[in-house]
Amino acid sequence: MRKVGVAILGLGVVGGGTYKILTEHREMYRKAYGADITVEAVLELRKDRALALGVPESRIASSIAEICSNPDVDIVVEVMGGVEPAKTFVLAALNAGKSVVTSNKEMFCKYSYELERVAKHNRVGLYYEATCVGGVPVIRALLDNLQGNVITSLVGIVNGTTNYILSKMSGSGADYSEALKEAQRLGYAEANPTADVEGYDATYKLSILSSLAFHTKIPYTKIYREGITAVTPADIAYGKQLGYCLKLLAIGKNTERGIEVRVHPTFIRQNHPLASVNDSYNAVYITGDSVEDVMLYGRGAGAEPTGSAIVGDIIYCATHLQHNYSTFDNTEKASPSTKFVNNFESAYYIRISAEDKAGVLSKITSILSRNGISVAQIIQEEDKDPDGKVPIIVVTHVTHEHNINKAVQDINAGTGDYAAVSSVIRVYD
Amino acid sequence: MRKVGVAILGLGVVGGGTYKILTEHREMYRKAYGADITVEAVLELRKDRALALGVPESRIASSIAEICSNPDVDIVVEVMGGVEPAKTFVLAALNAGKSVVTSNKEMFCKYSYELERVAKHNRVGLYYEATCVGGVPVIRALLDNLQGNVITSLVGIVNGTTNYILSKMSGSGADYSEALKEAQRLGYAEANPTADVEGYDATYKLSILSSLAFHTKIPYTKIYREGITAVTPADIAYGKQLGYCLKLLAIGKNTERGIEVRVHPTFIRQNHPLASVNDSYNAVYITGDSVEDVMLYGRGAGAEPTGSAIVGDIIYCATHLQHNYSTFDNTEKASPSTKFVNNFESAYYIRISAEDKAGVLSKITSILSRNGISVAQIIQEEDKDPDGKVPIIVVTHVTHEHNINKAVQDINAGTGDYAAVSSVIRVYD
């Protein structure tokens, strides 16, 4: 029986879940995979956490050096989060000849080029399925299933916190701050929710996934980002009337014009498979030139779903003699030959607050037309809003981001004080 | 640059798709995977098919022996379908030291134990992602992502033909034979549709998937099977009223009572993620003890989606030095320790045709109660059917298959000629 020793760095939610899965399933893994996988060490400053999980005191390490020099440790699991000291610890483990399994999307997205170089140099494994979308098998699908495709688009709901908040707002009509509070009460949102609600977390994941999908480094800094803090119940309600559902989408497209990568609130048709991904569920919808459409759906976060991805990587690492690395040129910066498109192609939803007088609509439509924007639908509400203004909703056909920006400026300036754009939301089609 | 020679056995729909993908993407695979993958030989009796695809005449082999002795062939792709001669050809290739990639679910499900033994003996690869659910990455997900879980259930829509027919019947109210004809016209159903509409194809796939999920051999002969030929538009319509959608589900459950494996038409709640899998799309919904629920969705058939799975296996095989085999004891028969449950636990939908007179309903409910069946809902329609009978719809709480069979007998016998059971459909919850 092959002995495989694991060390876990950090016993928070995911580390605790991983410890629990490994210890409870030890006998099954012995039988099914011929590997005796044991947790030989943990690194956790809060000793009480480790003891509460049942970790024997003798296995609570006091430093990363102690773990690196422990000959019984083969695989180091890093589930601390944050860039430092996680990165320093992971590099130390790789240099000590340990394979690494990580769920740390921020660190991996920012430093994968360095980590992979060191892992290759030391001929050890570096696995990161748990960095993206919890237990959903998306990274291995890109590496080992869909790798014969030219992937043309990858669209995901990759953040559970924001999906919970938007589902809540959509279901009950709650406003953003109420829904955020509810998410915090249930443990779906952190006390400081910035990384989730401002879309940073989604950009880290999109950076990793789109780099794999498009075979070229997509730094997260190249990703257009817009969070959900400005989303209003009114827009969600108007979208519903139009047959749309509002989601924070992470969108990667590989088009003839170049690569488009963006994270923003997006209206999506209610009958699109992604529209029924609710609450803290996540999904990634991938389109390839031969596979057509594939959707991978499941729990995007949580102790055991993310633990499942980590343990999957541990068993993979323990049962494969040969390690494989990313199938793209993993560099610090994007390749000079990669062209990024900022002038996105999209349809748009525009809500305008206007005074209820003749000629407003014709002025607006003339501005849109002058900017080359073709209108798919206009709704002028009868009911005035609390300011005495009338909401006008415009949905455009596919056009360019720059045209929309110009049209919004023109409406705000050219129509004087009797009409102003309240919100612009991209529509995914 | 590593040279990888492929031979394709059979240039039908899937073989043709595979040839097209490999030749069109050769340059991409050279760049991304450092492998120069070329089709060195094809075996196809209809030479015109090969020539139409652009295969050079010199690469059209005249026998499997010629392919086995060709030193330029590393990987043999078997996409002929049927048990023989496919099995003989695959064994010859494995024994000649070639790795094999197959999409042949019937052959693989019936003879995997023998093929794996020969592959291991010859230290070559045996890959079969394309046997189940086309381009959807389900086999590798079970082997390399979810393998740390105790999988408790695997429920799939795994046959595109039947899903197309049921979607059509549900959408337009067409009856079975009309919908079948339409499916045949569109190429979704074969001239002889038996393997699909009687559920055989689904049992082959469920055998492969549940063996992997439950780590033990599940022969397809152990799977309860019921096709869709008796499905009526009336039952689909009554189900809709009750909030259900009718699907041919392949269900595998690993419970404390034992293993349940079955393929039959099933009502599923309209808000279940599987309910929105329509037309020729397929999906597999997997529940594991740590990952919770995962759904994998995509095209279950077709030249290029299935070709995508085959090419994924080819690249995997070409870039991995070490081959891994099934993670269960792959034997011909089920292990004596595997307990199969036939007395399923399920909720049931029962439609009864009754004469419109007093006391019928109370007789029926008393028979159900006597058989230990608890009723969730009863609907007695006002409108009579063409025979002058009144339809009574009963939905039960979860009960046992044997109780239902006994109750149906009792209703048909005990209520004499004024009530008879027209249909019984299991309800998945």
Side-chain angles (χ1 to χ4, degrees), chain A residues 268-303:
Chain A
I268 189 161
R269 273 175 295 110
Q270 277 158 4
N271 64 355
H272 190 285
L274 284 172
S276 53
V277 176
N278 287 318
D279 302 327
S280 67
Y281 277 93
N282 279 189
V284 181
Y285 197 92
I286 301 169
T287 306
D289 66 342
S290 52
V291 79
E292 300 182 17
D293 300 324
V294 165
M295 187 172 83
L296 310 170
Y297 163 97
R299 289 273 181 208

Side-chain angles (χ1 to χ4, degrees), chain B residues 43-65:
Chain B
L43 190 64
E44 168 59 55
L45 291 180
R46 290 181 48 185
K47 212 172 166 180
D48 57 316
R49 269 189 176 169
L51 295 172
L53 277 165
V55 181
E57 193 149 4
S58 62
R59 299 206 172 171
I60 306 176
S62 55
S63 71
I64 182 70

